[in-house]
Amino acid sequence: MTPPLIAFLVATIIPVFFGKIRSAPFWLMLQAAAMAWNTAQHGDLSAHTAVAVIEVLVVRALIAPRLLRRAIARRGEPNLDLMPSNLFTWAIAIALVVLAFEFAAPAMSDRQALTLGAVGATVAVSLLLLSTNDGAPAQLVAVLFMENAIALFESLLPEPWPLPVHAALSAIYLLTVGVGGWLIATPDPATGPAEEASS
């Protein structure tokens, strides 16, 4: 087991069980730091690897969490659980994580199995989060978790994606955070002023 992948798993699983909405930017930052660590640890000492690490740190660990934190603060929503805390959803989340690793285990090395398991577990809990919490901030966090899983999947490929692909993924990630942040910070026209004040 490699420490970066364990850190990524911790940053994915802990917030789903115990995280609050306002702590989500911290967990996204931790995921990004773990991805950069994983890339630096398993990539060759090349300009491509250095650019990929810098891109992850700047875009996913610094800019995106800051934008998300600002949008959540502007929304003024109570600091609720990221996923509803009840035994049923927790049991489903645990089962999905275990299944992700069961599907990843056959015919793979330890690092490949752990990486694929981390990707599968992140996608599974993101989908569970999308289905159990209809709050806009939680839904945006789930989408960003999923995009981080896609970026982590690159470490399984025999050849890394070209730099233009990295740039496109970074642009999509920032666009997702920017548009999502704007949407969650904009008051819903269906809610009246009294409801806005009470929330």
Side-chain angles (χ1 to χ4, degrees):
M1 288 193 175
T2 62
L5 292 174
I6 294 171
F8 185 89
L9 273 174
V10 166
T12 300
I13 294 170
I14 296 295
V16 170
F17 288 104
F18 307 109
K20 302 286 188 182
I21 292 291
R22 290 182 191 160
S23 66
F26 167 76
W27 296 109
L28 284 167
M29 188 172 56
L30 189 58
Q31 280 184 355
M35 285 191 302
W37 184 11
N38 186 56
T39 302
Q41 189 177 58
H42 297 291
D44 55 351
L45 296 175
S46 66
H48 187 284
T49 301
V51 169
V53 168
I54 291 168
E55 174 265 327
V56 168
L57 288 175
V58 170
V59 172
R60 295 175 190 258
L62 293 177
I63 298 174
R66 175 174 273 183
L67 291 174
L68 180 62
R69 185 177 290 113
R70 187 180 304 164
I72 291 172
R74 240 184 286 149
R75 185 176 177 89
E77 195 166 274
N79 196 21
L80 302 174
D81 291 334
L82 200 55
M83 189 175 77
S85 296
N86 64 59
L87 192 57
F88 182 68
T89 53
W90 280 22
I92 292 174
I94 292 169
L96 288 174
V97 170
V98 170
L99 276 175
F101 281 95
E102 284 298 317
F103 283 119
M108 289 192 148
S109 71
D110 289 342
R111 191 182 76 81
Q112 286 178 319
L114 185 60
T115 304
L116 195 57
V119 170
T122 304
V123 171
V125 296
S126 297
L127 292 173
L128 180 63
L129 185 55
L130 283 169
S131 65
T132 56
N133 192 338
D134 60 356
Q139 299 241 323
L140 179 57
V141 169
V143 170
L144 296 177
F145 272 28
M146 213 175 299
E147 290 195 19
N148 282 344
I150 293 168
L152 181 64
F153 181 75
E154 182 192 3
S155 64
L156 287 172
L157 301 177
E159 292 293 328
W161 288 323
L163 289 177
V165 176
H166 279 290
L169 288 174
S170 293
I172 291 169
Y173 194 81
L174 283 177
L175 189 64
T176 303
V177 177
V179 172
W182 175 74
L183 287 173
I184 67 175
T186 304
D188 187 359
T191 58
E195 291 178 36
E196 284 295 322
S198 65
S199 64

